[in-house]
Amino acid sequence: MQCLIHPLLDENKLSALRLALLDDQANWQDGRKTAGSQAAAVKNNLQLDRRSELSQTKCSEVVDVLRSDLLIKSFSLPRKIHGVMFSRAGTGQGYGMHVDNAYMSTGRSDLSFTLFLTDPESYGGGELSVQSMQEVDQFKLPAGHILIYPSTYLHAVESVTYGERMVCVGWIQSYVKNNEDRAILFGIDAGARGLLAQNGRTAELDLIFQAYGNLLRRLGD
């Protein structure tokens, strides 16, 4: 599966974000309010009201961090980061198998992301299960780590057995909608940057960067 696992928030940013979310109990609501008709039937969690001042402020902060991260930019080629929200699930809650809508009111979903906000030892279950063609991968990442994966996959949040799972989720509309095309571009960019770090700028490397830019123009929308 073409995905990216990456540490995004340091301990200070993570602690401040988590504390702010836990302090605001009034603006958490039934997560089915933001689900499509099919997803609502399998969704059982709480989400922070997107209209609240806290949600808008903290979502904007997460987007800023995502946009400034060079590895995430190279992997996802983000044109728009949208639909960002905070969710939590307690004992007995989860989110059954579903696929994200291709087009949302906020944009096209090429990539989905989950930013884990609680330590994996503090809750049972709650794994993010992502189903590819012949297998299911499960993710339960350290707090502050993000998983970015294609929105084309079926996925689910397993039922929480104890404690509470808190995450930030959202979607990325990429300049390149095709997963394989993005993977090729990511490989070229990673290799070129590695050569740049080892050998400095060369005429040959300039040709690689030129080919990358022109391929991006051809594949992008």
Side-chain angles (χ1 to χ4, degrees):
M1 184 180 69
Q2 296 167 352
C3 68
L4 179 69
I5 296 174
H6 183 54
L8 186 68
L9 299 181
D10 61 31
E11 187 58 40
N12 289 334
K13 290 181 179 178
L14 177 63
S15 296
L17 174 58
R18 197 160 48 200
L19 182 61
L21 295 175
L22 291 174
D23 276 349
D24 185 351
Q25 295 296 327
N27 286 305
W28 290 92
Q29 56 186 211
D30 192 329
R32 286 172 291 189
K33 290 185 177 182
T34 61
S37 57
Q38 291 183 329
V42 295
K43 189 174 187 180
N44 180 18
N45 66 1
L46 296 176
Q47 287 176 183
L48 188 63
D49 187 349
R50 287 176 169 175
R51 300 167 298 178
S52 69
E53 181 179 354
L54 177 64
S55 178
Q56 292 178 16
T57 299
K58 296 305 179 183
C59 286
S60 179
E61 290 178 3
V62 170
V63 170
D64 288 344
V65 175
L66 286 168
R67 286 201 172 277
S68 64
D69 190 288
L70 294 179
L71 184 63
I72 290 176
K73 287 171 67 176
S74 177
F75 177 79
S76 61
L77 299 170
R79 183 171 192 164
K80 186 179 185 183
I81 301 173
H82 61 95
V84 182
M85 69 181 84
F86 296 97
S87 72
R88 56 199 293 191
T91 302
Q93 293 185 310
Y95 197 166
M97 196 64 74
H98 64 285
V99 65
D100 294 331
N101 292 335
Y103 287 91
M104 305 177 182
S105 60
T106 50
R108 189 179 69 220
S109 61
D110 298 319
L111 292 161
S112 305
F113 69 81
T114 297
L115 171 60
F116 291 77
L117 300 178
T118 41
D119 294 319
E121 298 83 8
S122 68
Y123 62 98
E127 296 87 356
L128 174 61
S129 297
V130 183
Q131 181 176 320
S132 54
M133 186 66 71
Q134 293 182 317
E135 61 183 6
V136 176
D137 296 306
Q138 291 194 325
F139 302 91
K140 190 174 181 180
L141 302 184
H145 283 57
I146 192 170
L147 171 70
I148 304 176
Y149 60 98
S151 301
T152 52
Y153 291 135
L154 286 164
H155 54 281
V157 176
E158 302 301 327
S159 180
V160 174
T161 58
Y162 67 84
E164 184 175 67
R165 175 189 192 266
M166 184 183 298
V167 297
C168 177
V169 301
W171 293 270
I172 298 173
Q173 180 175 333
S174 176
Y175 281 105
V176 177
K177 67 173 68 174
N178 182 272
N179 296 328
E180 292 184 357
D181 290 343
R182 274 198 315 274
I184 291 170
L185 288 163
F186 181 56
I188 295 172
D189 187 49
R193 291 181 183 277
L195 290 172
L196 179 63
Q198 289 181 8
N199 307 314
R201 200 82 187 212
T202 65
E204 293 79 8
L205 193 55
D206 284 341
L207 291 175
I208 296 176
F209 280 124
Q210 179 190 34
Y212 173 87
N214 289 334
L215 184 59
L216 179 57
R217 288 187 185 91
R218 183 169 184 173
L219 297 176
D221 61 0

